[in-house]
Amino acid sequence: MDERAIAAYRTAVQAGQYAPQAIAAALGLTQEETARISRTLLDLRLLHPVPGDGDTLAPASPDAAAADLVGPAEQRIRELQQSVSGTRSSLLSLLPVYFESRRSRNRMEAFDVITNISVLEVMIEDFGARCQTQALTVQPGGPRPPHLLEGARRRTLERLARGIRVEHLYQHTVRNDPASTAYIREVSAAGAEVRTTDQLIDRMIIYDREIVFLPEQGELDRRPGAIVVREPTLVAFLCKLYDQQWARGTVFEPDAEENTAITDDVQRSIIKLMAQGYKDEMVARRLGMSVRTCRRHIAEIMDDLDATSRFQAGVNVALSGALDEAVGRPHPGDAQSGATGPAGAGT
């Protein structure tokens, strides 16, 4: 619509009909301009044939023209809006079902018990391959078998090459194992961090601080599987437990001079466990060493205490205050000074 088309429409409304020749004469339009204006007014539904006389055109009101021109589109829009609203309402009605099922699924997925060792190995390998930031492990029990270290070497070096931070936490006894030392030397050179401590609670693998593998407990008739933990609160708790153990550990640098505090730490742990009534076999198991090595340490302790029997060693330990140091109690002679025994001297 331009000014001439509006003027032509105004003239038609005033005359009660659209007469092209009369409008052209009144407005000084050429034949081409008159034809263009006629097409425009017809396209906008502002002109319509007079019933019973198809050759005569009458002007229509703008609101009628708008209803005729955009009415079908508006109807389609209304129908589409109704369809959208109906679809949305139908889908939203499923929200209670979704959240109920999600809660149920989360309860079921928070923990998985994997008893099939082959499946477990595949899962550990798969999660390790998809690890993005950190791979943290706790490996109690002393030295690991060489064939397991070979597989661990491949996985660890691959993760380090991808920029993954790798931390290994072992017991002190791996420091005397050639295979473990060789493995730790190689992965440490590639960027892994390794620490050791006297005792560890249990085996644990953590990927990205989002998923934790724990050993299955209480199975005597078969090889234990693992518990896969995904529940965020429990995972966060286990990560804090790991961080505490890691902070207590001593850095292991295979080519560095052996720290005498490590041996002292082991012997204090032996004294503590013996004072708690553990037999040699259980002490060795708790510290990840062979019974023979444990008894060698016990013999050294007895020699240091100038004792010829376990009973005499126990008396000498109590008198010397070594037992207080091992279990973290203050020395009797420290009462006035307020000092305490070096419970964390080996940590």
Side-chain angles (χ1 to χ4, degrees):
M1 291 288 286
D2 56 17
E3 292 299 327
R4 292 186 176 183
I6 294 173
Y9 175 71
R10 183 185 298 111
T11 301
V13 172
Q14 292 172 349
Q17 65 177 5
Y18 183 81
Q21 294 180 352
I23 289 176
L27 299 178
L29 303 175
T30 64
Q31 184 176 355
E32 291 77 9
E33 290 177 326
T34 303
R36 179 187 63 79
I37 291 173
S38 298
R39 288 194 302 271
T40 299
L41 296 177
L42 284 169
D43 290 342
L44 293 176
R45 306 297 195 271
L46 291 170
L47 295 178
H48 63 85
V50 175
D53 186 0
D55 295 332
T56 303
L57 298 176
S61 65
D63 54 349
D68 186 23
L69 183 63
V70 302
E74 289 180 332
Q75 179 61 30
R76 288 195 297 273
I77 291 173
R78 284 193 294 269
E79 291 173 354
L80 183 59
Q81 287 176 329
Q82 291 174 354
S83 176
V84 169
S85 298
T87 301
R88 179 179 287 110
S89 297
S90 297
L91 293 176
L92 292 180
S93 69
L94 296 175
L95 276 177
V97 176
Y98 170 80
F99 286 118
E100 175 84 25
S101 302
R102 180 69 178 268
R103 283 191 294 268
S104 176
R105 188 192 73 186
N106 286 344
R107 285 193 296 270
M108 294 183 346
E109 289 187 350
F111 309 94
D112 279 334
V113 181
I114 311 299
T115 58
N116 187 307
I117 303 301
S118 298
V119 173
L120 175 60
E121 291 174 348
V122 170
M123 287 185 65
I124 292 177
E125 187 82 12
D126 179 60
F127 278 105
R130 291 189 285 118
C131 180
Q132 297 296 316
T133 58
Q134 291 181 320
L136 316 175
T137 69
V138 179
Q139 301 287 355
R144 303 176 68 194
H147 71 279
L148 293 181
L149 287 175
E150 185 58 36
R153 177 183 290 105
R154 173 185 59 80
R155 292 188 295 269
T156 300
L157 292 177
E158 185 273 335
R159 291 166 190 168
L160 290 169
R162 291 194 290 117
I164 306 301
R165 178 173 181 174
V166 176
E167 294 180 2
H168 291 328
L169 190 56
Y170 295 103
Q171 288 182 270
H172 289 323
T173 47
V174 302
R175 293 172 178 262
N176 300 317
D177 179 61
S180 298
T181 301
Y183 163 77
I184 293 170
R185 179 182 295 109
E186 184 173 354
V187 299
S188 295
E193 299 178 58
V194 181
R195 294 187 182 186
T196 65
T197 186
D198 56 341
Q199 297 185 65
L200 293 171
I201 296 176
D202 215 331
R203 197 173 308 277
M204 183 161 54
I205 301 174
I206 303 174
Y207 290 127
D208 292 333
R209 295 183 178 265
E210 293 180 353
I211 187 166
V212 182
F213 288 83
L214 298 174
E216 190 180 15
Q217 304 291 332
E219 295 298 332
L220 302 177
D221 57 344
R222 60 174 173 80
R223 182 180 171 187
I227 308 299
V228 186
V229 183
R230 299 183 180 87
E231 202 284 317
T233 301
L234 184 53
V235 168
F237 171 80
L238 293 171
C239 288
K240 290 180 180 179
L241 179 63
Y242 171 85
D243 291 338
Q244 289 183 348
Q245 291 183 309
W246 179 258
R248 291 180 59 246
T250 303
V251 175
F252 183 18
E253 298 176 353
D255 296 322
E257 184 178 351
E258 183 62 41
N259 189 347
T260 57
I262 300 298
T263 301
D264 295 341
D265 197 13
V266 171
Q267 292 191 353
R268 276 193 295 270
S269 297
I270 291 175
I271 293 172
K272 179 172 63 176
L273 292 172
M274 290 177 62
Q276 293 173 357
Y278 288 106
K279 301 297 183 181
D280 294 356
E281 292 78 6
M282 183 57 67
V283 172
R285 183 182 304 175
R286 291 285 296 271
L287 298 180
M289 64 178 65
S290 67
V291 177
R292 181 177 179 179
T293 300
C294 179
R295 287 173 176 163
R296 178 172 57 81
H297 280 293
I298 293 174
E300 292 176 358
I301 293 170
M302 293 176 64
D303 185 60
D304 291 341
L305 294 171
D306 195 22
T308 58
S309 67
R310 294 285 186 94
F311 176 78
Q312 185 181 3
V315 172
N316 291 349
V317 165
L319 292 175
S320 68
L323 180 60
D324 296 317
E325 293 182 0
V327 299
R329 293 195 298 265
H331 294 180
D334 292 333
Q336 294 179 351
S337 65
T340 58
T347 61

